[in-house]
Amino acid sequence: MLCKICNTFAITINTQPMITVKTFVFNPFQVNTYLLFDETGECVIIDPGCMEEYEEIQLLGFIETKKLRPVRLLNTHAHIDHIAGNKYISRKYNLTLEVHKDSLRFFRHAANHAETFGFIDFESIEPTGFISDSDIIRFGNSELKVLYTPGHADGSISFYSEKDGFVITGDVLFYLSIGRADLPSGNYKLLIESIQSKLLVLPENTLVYPGHGLSTTIGYEKKNNPFLIQG
């Protein structure tokens, strides 16, 4: 901005807190595990997919290097690839697991599902914290809004930061694709309804951080996603 009195330019510095999103890609299913933190050092861990010791070390090393303090453990949904590291993170940082209550059915059968996919020595933990549509997840000076987005699986939720302009969608919306609806509790019609009513209504420049693969934006998917373009 030009200062008319002194004929110089004033520099505006943004002092508003911002969320940093760090992505880790873990396990054979290439799950995007997200670690969110702000200037306070408090952080939340979403969908810890770490199964191997080297993956746990990678996540732990980043947290220690940045001197972060994990305060919340969240799952977008409870498919086995997204909950593989829950036990490790919960015990390491003494965190309660928080999910949507409709995810409970998957935790009850997690060990059997793990065996089906060849996950050796898998041990699940039960969630004890439950979050619902429109709840606010707070950490540090930041907050996320919970969006209930079922269709890929019962209990699927997304996490939206209006201030920082991003949404974490789990396996609901992907770059040029959408989540599967042919798994237990999947429902294609409900999945499309969730995307249209909860995600596509967000600002077009909203960054989308999916459960697998590349990030994208709401605007790009509205224009290019073959599952969402109206014929």
Side-chain angles (χ1 to χ4, degrees):
M1 179 183 297
L2 179 62
C3 175
K4 295 182 179 179
I5 297 177
C6 56
N7 199 32
T8 60
F9 283 92
I11 299 176
T12 301
I13 299 175
N14 183 8
T15 59
Q16 294 297 314
M18 294 183 63
I19 299 174
T20 298
V21 180
K22 171 65 177 177
T23 308
F24 299 86
V25 181
F26 289 144
N27 74 48
F29 289 91
Q30 299 288 280
V31 167
N32 288 333
T33 292
Y34 293 106
L35 194 154
L36 280 54
F37 59 98
D38 66 13
E39 72 286 349
T40 69
E42 288 194 356
C43 69
V44 300
I45 300 169
I46 300 176
D47 290 355
C50 43
M51 294 180 57
E52 303 292 340
E53 184 178 5
Y54 76 89
E55 294 175 329
E56 297 170 352
I57 291 172
Q58 183 182 356
L59 182 58
L60 177 61
F62 183 88
I63 292 171
E64 291 184 344
T65 298
K66 294 292 185 179
K67 296 181 172 56
L68 303 178
R69 299 185 304 281
V71 295
R72 305 189 78 154
L73 171 59
L74 311 170
N75 288 159
T76 60
H77 63 294
H79 283 161
I80 194 69
D81 49 333
H82 290 256
I83 69 173
N86 280 346
K87 176 185 173 183
Y88 173 76
I89 296 300
S90 176
R91 293 188 176 180
K92 178 66 179 178
Y93 298 108
N94 192 29
L95 297 178
T96 295
L97 173 60
E98 300 176 76
V99 303
H100 191 280
K101 62 180 178 60
D102 290 348
S103 292
L104 280 175
R105 57 177 290 183
F106 294 102
F107 290 98
R108 297 190 182 106
H109 303 287
N112 291 335
H113 293 160
E115 185 177 353
T116 299
F117 289 106
F119 292 176
I120 308 301
D121 298 325
F122 177 85
E123 185 177 347
S124 179
I125 61 170
E126 285 288 318
T128 54
F130 298 101
I131 48 183
S132 302
D133 188 50
S134 297
D135 281 355
I136 302 299
I137 304 296
R138 294 183 173 87
F139 64 101
N141 294 324
S142 303
E143 60 183 40
L144 304 167
K145 183 177 181 180
V146 177
L147 307 177
Y148 185 44
T149 50
H152 172 66
D154 283 350
S156 287
I157 51 180
S158 300
F159 299 100
Y160 174 51
S161 172
E162 180 179 6
K163 183 167 65 174
D164 291 288
F166 70 82
V167 61
I168 293 175
T169 60
D171 287 1
V172 175
L173 178 63
F174 298 111
Y175 171 70
L176 294 179
S177 190
I178 60 174
R180 293 179 59 174
D182 59 342
L183 299 173
S185 80
N187 183 312
Y188 182 82
K189 181 179 178 181
L190 182 58
L191 177 63
I192 295 298
E193 289 177 355
S194 292
I195 294 171
Q196 291 178 337
S197 65
K198 294 298 183 66
L199 300 179
L200 298 190
V201 296
L202 301 178
E204 292 200 351
N205 62 350
T206 301
L207 281 170
V208 175
Y209 292 109
H212 305 265
L214 301 173
S215 60
T216 182
T217 67
I218 291 296
Y220 186 84
E221 296 309 310
K222 287 172 72 172
K223 296 179 178 66
N224 299 282
N225 193 311
F227 295 94
L228 305 176
I229 297 174
Q230 300 297 321

